[in-house]
Amino acid sequence: MKTVKLTINGHPVEVEAGTNILNAAQKAQVKIPSLCYHPDLPAWAACGICVVKVKGLNRLVRACATPATEGLEVTTHDPELYGIRRTIIELILSTHPDDCLQCPRNNNCELQRLAAEFGIREAPYGKRLRDLPPDDTTGSLELHPEKCILCGRCAAVCQGMQGVWALEFIGRGEKMRIAPAADVSLEESPCIKCGQCSAHCPVGAIYEHSHAPEVYAALADPTKHCVAQIAPAVRVALGEDFGYEPGTLLTGKIYAALRRLGFDAVFDTNFGADLTIIEEGTEFIERFAHGRGPLPLITSCCPSWTDYMEKFAPDFIDNFSTAKSPHAMVGALTKTYYAEKKGLDPKDIFMVSIMPCTAKKFEIQRSEEMSSSGQQDIDISLTTRELCRMIKSAGIDFRNLPDDEQVDSLLGAYTGAGTIFGATGGVMEAALRTAHWSLTKERLPTMELKEIRGLDGVKEATLKVAGKDVRVAVAHCMGNIEIVLDKVRAAREAGEETPYHFIEVMACRGGCVGGGGQPYGATDTIRRQRAAGLYRDDEKSAQRCSHENPMIQQLYAEFLGEPLGEKSHQLLHTGYYKRKPYKR
Amino acid sequence: MGSGGMIVMDEDDCMVDVARFYQDFCVDESCGKCAPCRVGTRTLLNLLDKITTGKGTRADLKKIRDVGAAMQKAALCGLGQTAPNPVLSTLKYFEAEYLAHIDEQHCPAGKCKALVTYSIDASKCIGCTLCARRCPVGAIEGERQKPHRILPEQCIKCGECLKACKFGAVSRR
């Protein structure tokens, strides 16, 4: 690693060559204020707040877009820089509505924080708002362009990281705005509802459509039997809003909080993850060992990924696992299996999923198969952020809740394999643990498949199972998937054997731990911490393979019969349809 | 500004109005990417509009200097960095003209229409009707061979009457 030495306000620091001045300054315990820069993205250099002085240059440079070089002498703070930054913040505020109290980013907004840090007390440049209409057409995400400060993060995420190109700058000069590409509505655009735009937006210009009011209404309705389930990635991220370190495992406290909110039963999506592995793993063995169906098999747990595939890669529809996502399975079973056992009318059950995801809001209504129980299987999907707000508004002292609260029976118990679904590579790892056992009746020699963990965009591994090589690929962050698909397409066209047998795809960077509905502020460090929390949960689990889950075994014995059986097909599987990227 | 050509101006050109003209151009030219230029050009233009219509205050001059400095130092490209130059340099060399607009609501060059009034000196007017015939909006009334009068609420301050009068009866203030 080549390093360079420079000084920040006279303090010598040594950093890796190519590090920008903004990050180099952190090594000298200096925080340069910035607004448009995000560590996930290349510098866009729009706001101009991070300007610094460099000795020998008679102009200022942007710390976000200037690499540290040998011998650089940087001044990050002085009265002139303070004045310039303050003026720019005041200018940006002159085009931003003052509706902080009604904004979902209140207390959590990067512009609000800057204004507070700089002690802005007046609006010297008046207020010039643009009167742009909001877009709430998807039911998952709301775009409020009048609040947008044009930092460009959402467009960079959508185009660069996710490869979707649903958001774009439209117009120029003071008429410039962020809008769905081609200026259609968000619902008509190629948007896959991953919500990464909302996770990266520094202000409240794009955020999840809140469904908390519907949940409160159901909780207040005595005729409703309210059931909640939490996704794997929620338990290691929710604590961030309550002062915990990222990655702190808070499963028990979250169960307790849900009960205190008034839910009659609390289930766990990890159970659904275990069930997904049984169904999807069986599908894989059918295709891999018995040649029934095309390879590679591609995971379908991620609703943004299925939306992307239907729009941009419909040539892979046959390769998709037809297994529903874990929470959809739990939803379908709650309104059939659980309802039967409890003697409840499925119509009276109100099923709420707590997800790290904004696309799940779209998924629960995406096709008829999502109403396999006769009702809509999942009534409402909330994001982690929405649950945080509900817990706070319900007056629950989250930090002092008991840690050991248990999940409800039937659809709650989970194994280590289920919990790691929340991290990239986790679905693959869990599936291979069970597939290996199914084919050999032996456990994997090492449970941890390190080569498919971590934040590399595309991870590959080859595993010997029953004397055969199983070649797998794991991609996360939607923009990386085309690399994998192109390899498969190339082999397909050349008539060669498929380069992979099994592919896992997650739309968000880091997998669900970095989901679009997670608490704000995710960086790679935080994604790693959250994933580490899930892997710790796995390590301390009594069972670490999905097929060992006693409640799953009971479910098949009492209700489903066998994996891929008739009842499974009816309740746990779905179909995919070619869709146009643009609806008009 | 722009091509590097030179424009010669005299006392009939209002420096505040010239600055306003160039700022109007910069608002159109700004691409919109960086905040200092996108918001700064419009903010400067609005401040200059305020001054040229007699609504400016001395505090606005400080605002112009603050925004101008932020743009010069922090705009991303040459357009934004130089956009405040016409404003800042006229303010530097012709501050008195800015102050006349602010303190006296008076445009010394008579260019800022909002600050200009035209009137007819009844003692000089012979009632030839030339000004009334030239006035494009019919804002001058009066009978033949009697002193005429300009109706201030209708006058668009185009200056045609001043040019037309052969007897020096029309004045601008």
Side-chain angles (χ1 to χ4, degrees), chain A residues 22-37:
Chain A
L22 198 72
N23 291 326
Q26 285 173 4
K27 288 228 167 176
Q29 298 84 46
V30 172
K31 200 174 141 266
I32 301 172
S34 67
L35 186 58
C36 68
Y37 177 73

PDB file of all heavy atoms in Angstrom, chain A residues 22-37:
ATOM      1  N   LEU A  22     -10.919  15.001   2.581  1.00  0.00           N
ATOM      2  CA  LEU A  22     -11.982  14.877   3.588  1.00  0.00           C
ATOM      3  C   LEU A  22     -11.705  13.706   4.531  1.00  0.00           C
ATOM      4  O   LEU A  22     -11.813  13.828   5.754  1.00  0.00           O
ATOM      5  CB  LEU A  22     -13.315  14.673   2.863  1.00  0.00           C
ATOM      6  CG  LEU A  22     -14.604  14.917   3.617  1.00  0.00           C
ATOM      7  CD1 LEU A  22     -14.805  16.399   3.848  1.00  0.00           C
ATOM      8  CD2 LEU A  22     -15.783  14.371   2.834  1.00  0.00           C
ATOM      9  N   ASN A  23     -11.358  12.550   3.952  1.00  0.00           N
ATOM     10  CA  ASN A  23     -11.088  11.378   4.781  1.00  0.00           C
ATOM     11  C   ASN A  23      -9.730  11.463   5.461  1.00  0.00           C
ATOM     12  O   ASN A  23      -9.562  10.980   6.577  1.00  0.00           O
ATOM     13  CB  ASN A  23     -11.194  10.100   3.939  1.00  0.00           C
ATOM     14  CG  ASN A  23     -12.627   9.821   3.519  1.00  0.00           C
ATOM     15  OD1 ASN A  23     -13.559  10.118   4.266  1.00  0.00           O
ATOM     16  ND2 ASN A  23     -12.814   9.292   2.325  1.00  0.00           N
ATOM     17  N   ALA A  24      -8.762  12.096   4.770  1.00  0.00           N
ATOM     18  CA  ALA A  24      -7.432  12.254   5.383  1.00  0.00           C
ATOM     19  C   ALA A  24      -7.544  13.115   6.649  1.00  0.00           C
ATOM     20  O   ALA A  24      -6.876  12.846   7.648  1.00  0.00           O
ATOM     21  CB  ALA A  24      -6.467  12.885   4.387  1.00  0.00           C
ATOM     22  N   ALA A  25      -8.408  14.127   6.592  1.00  0.00           N
ATOM     23  CA  ALA A  25      -8.539  15.029   7.743  1.00  0.00           C
ATOM     24  C   ALA A  25      -9.048  14.294   8.971  1.00  0.00           C
ATOM     25  O   ALA A  25      -8.704  14.645  10.106  1.00  0.00           O
ATOM     26  CB  ALA A  25      -9.475  16.186   7.387  1.00  0.00           C
ATOM     27  N   GLN A  26      -9.858  13.267   8.748  1.00  0.00           N
ATOM     28  CA  GLN A  26     -10.381  12.514   9.890  1.00  0.00           C
ATOM     29  C   GLN A  26      -9.247  11.885  10.693  1.00  0.00           C
ATOM     30  O   GLN A  26      -9.349  11.691  11.890  1.00  0.00           O
ATOM     31  CB  GLN A  26     -11.353  11.431   9.408  1.00  0.00           C
ATOM     32  CG  GLN A  26     -12.689  12.028   8.983  1.00  0.00           C
ATOM     33  CD  GLN A  26     -13.610  11.015   8.341  1.00  0.00           C
ATOM     34  OE1 GLN A  26     -13.301   9.834   8.267  1.00  0.00           O
ATOM     35  NE2 GLN A  26     -14.742  11.489   7.861  1.00  0.00           N
ATOM     36  N   LYS A  27      -8.158  11.561   9.980  1.00  0.00           N
ATOM     37  CA  LYS A  27      -6.990  10.982  10.678  1.00  0.00           C
ATOM     38  C   LYS A  27      -6.349  11.983  11.618  1.00  0.00           C
ATOM     39  O   LYS A  27      -5.606  11.600  12.524  1.00  0.00           O
ATOM     40  CB  LYS A  27      -5.967  10.506   9.645  1.00  0.00           C
ATOM     41  CG  LYS A  27      -6.408   9.269   8.901  1.00  0.00           C
ATOM     42  CD  LYS A  27      -5.285   8.277   8.885  1.00  0.00           C
ATOM     43  CE  LYS A  27      -5.779   6.922   8.431  1.00  0.00           C
ATOM     44  NZ  LYS A  27      -4.694   5.962   8.303  1.00  0.00           N
ATOM     45  N   ALA A  28      -6.583  13.271  11.338  1.00  0.00           N
ATOM     46  CA  ALA A  28      -6.039  14.302  12.222  1.00  0.00           C
ATOM     47  C   ALA A  28      -7.127  14.806  13.164  1.00  0.00           C
ATOM     48  O   ALA A  28      -7.041  15.911  13.695  1.00  0.00           O
ATOM     49  CB  ALA A  28      -5.469  15.447  11.392  1.00  0.00           C
ATOM     50  N   GLN A  29      -8.160  13.993  13.340  1.00  0.00           N
ATOM     51  CA  GLN A  29      -9.310  14.327  14.210  1.00  0.00           C
ATOM     52  C   GLN A  29      -9.979  15.625  13.768  1.00  0.00           C
ATOM     53  O   GLN A  29     -10.441  16.416  14.586  1.00  0.00           O
ATOM     54  CB  GLN A  29      -8.889  14.420  15.689  1.00  0.00           C
ATOM     55  CG  GLN A  29      -8.338  13.160  16.293  1.00  0.00           C
ATOM     56  CD  GLN A  29      -6.866  12.975  16.003  1.00  0.00           C
ATOM     57  OE1 GLN A  29      -6.080  13.901  16.146  1.00  0.00           O
ATOM     58  NE2 GLN A  29      -6.486  11.788  15.568  1.00  0.00           N
ATOM     59  N   VAL A  30      -9.991  15.878  12.460  1.00  0.00           N
ATOM     60  CA  VAL A  30     -10.643  17.078  11.934  1.00  0.00           C
ATOM     61  C   VAL A  30     -11.832  16.650  11.085  1.00  0.00           C
ATOM     62  O   VAL A  30     -11.703  15.783  10.214  1.00  0.00           O
ATOM     63  CB  VAL A  30      -9.672  17.915  11.075  1.00  0.00           C
ATOM     64  CG1 VAL A  30     -10.424  19.048  10.388  1.00  0.00           C
ATOM     65  CG2 VAL A  30      -8.555  18.471  11.934  1.00  0.00           C
ATOM     66  N   LYS A  31     -12.966  17.225  11.378  1.00  0.00           N
ATOM     67  CA  LYS A  31     -14.156  16.930  10.597  1.00  0.00           C
ATOM     68  C   LYS A  31     -14.431  18.122   9.688  1.00  0.00           C
ATOM     69  O   LYS A  31     -14.761  19.210  10.163  1.00  0.00           O
ATOM     70  CB  LYS A  31     -15.334  16.680  11.538  1.00  0.00           C
ATOM     71  CG  LYS A  31     -16.451  15.915  10.903  1.00  0.00           C
ATOM     72  CD  LYS A  31     -17.519  15.590  11.937  1.00  0.00           C
ATOM     73  CE  LYS A  31     -18.888  15.722  11.322  1.00  0.00           C
ATOM     74  NZ  LYS A  31     -19.523  17.021  11.511  1.00  0.00           N
ATOM     75  N   ILE A  32     -14.267  17.931   8.394  1.00  0.00           N
ATOM     76  CA  ILE A  32     -14.561  19.007   7.454  1.00  0.00           C
ATOM     77  C   ILE A  32     -16.047  18.922   7.139  1.00  0.00           C
ATOM     78  O   ILE A  32     -16.525  17.862   6.738  1.00  0.00           O
ATOM     79  CB  ILE A  32     -13.719  18.854   6.165  1.00  0.00           C
ATOM     80  CG1 ILE A  32     -12.232  18.876   6.502  1.00  0.00           C
ATOM     81  CG2 ILE A  32     -14.077  19.940   5.156  1.00  0.00           C
ATOM     82  CD1 ILE A  32     -11.326  18.535   5.338  1.00  0.00           C
ATOM     83  N   PRO A  33     -16.806  20.015   7.314  1.00  0.00           N
ATOM     84  CA  PRO A  33     -18.242  19.907   7.029  1.00  0.00           C
ATOM     85  C   PRO A  33     -18.482  19.619   5.550  1.00  0.00           C
ATOM     86  O   PRO A  33     -17.751  20.115   4.685  1.00  0.00           O
ATOM     87  CB  PRO A  33     -18.797  21.281   7.422  1.00  0.00           C
ATOM     88  CG  PRO A  33     -17.628  22.181   7.467  1.00  0.00           C
ATOM     89  CD  PRO A  33     -16.421  21.354   7.754  1.00  0.00           C
ATOM     90  N   SER A  34     -19.455  18.784   5.270  1.00  0.00           N
ATOM     91  CA  SER A  34     -19.773  18.481   3.872  1.00  0.00           C
ATOM     92  C   SER A  34     -21.238  18.122   3.809  1.00  0.00           C
ATOM     93  O   SER A  34     -21.856  17.799   4.821  1.00  0.00           O
ATOM     94  CB  SER A  34     -18.924  17.323   3.356  1.00  0.00           C
ATOM     95  OG  SER A  34     -19.272  16.132   4.021  1.00  0.00           O
ATOM     96  N   LEU A  35     -21.802  18.180   2.614  1.00  0.00           N
ATOM     97  CA  LEU A  35     -23.223  17.870   2.475  1.00  0.00           C
ATOM     98  C   LEU A  35     -23.484  16.890   1.351  1.00  0.00           C
ATOM     99  O   LEU A  35     -24.164  15.890   1.544  1.00  0.00           O
ATOM    100  CB  LEU A  35     -24.012  19.172   2.250  1.00  0.00           C
ATOM    101  CG  LEU A  35     -25.533  19.054   2.215  1.00  0.00           C
ATOM    102  CD1 LEU A  35     -26.057  18.445   3.498  1.00  0.00           C
ATOM    103  CD2 LEU A  35     -26.165  20.427   2.027  1.00  0.00           C
ATOM    104  N   CYS A  36     -22.929  17.139   0.184  1.00  0.00           N
ATOM    105  CA  CYS A  36     -23.285  16.261  -0.937  1.00  0.00           C
ATOM    106  C   CYS A  36     -22.459  14.982  -0.952  1.00  0.00           C
ATOM    107  O   CYS A  36     -22.852  13.998  -1.549  1.00  0.00           O
ATOM    108  CB  CYS A  36     -23.180  17.004  -2.267  1.00  0.00           C
ATOM    109  SG  CYS A  36     -21.508  17.446  -2.742  1.00  0.00           S
ATOM    110  N   TYR A  37     -21.313  14.979  -0.271  1.00  0.00           N
ATOM    111  CA  TYR A  37     -20.436  13.809  -0.328  1.00  0.00           C
ATOM    112  C   TYR A  37     -21.002  12.648   0.483  1.00  0.00           C
ATOM    113  O   TYR A  37     -21.534  12.838   1.564  1.00  0.00           O
ATOM    114  CB  TYR A  37     -19.051  14.179   0.214  1.00  0.00           C
ATOM    115  CG  TYR A  37     -18.092  13.022   0.252  1.00  0.00           C
ATOM    116  CD1 TYR A  37     -17.535  12.519  -0.924  1.00  0.00           C
ATOM    117  CD2 TYR A  37     -17.764  12.391   1.453  1.00  0.00           C
ATOM    118  CE1 TYR A  37     -16.669  11.436  -0.896  1.00  0.00           C
ATOM    119  CE2 TYR A  37     -16.906  11.308   1.482  1.00  0.00           C
ATOM    120  CZ  TYR A  37     -16.357  10.835   0.306  1.00  0.00           C
ATOM    121  OH  TYR A  37     -15.516   9.751   0.324  1.00  0.00           O
TER     122      TYR A  37
END
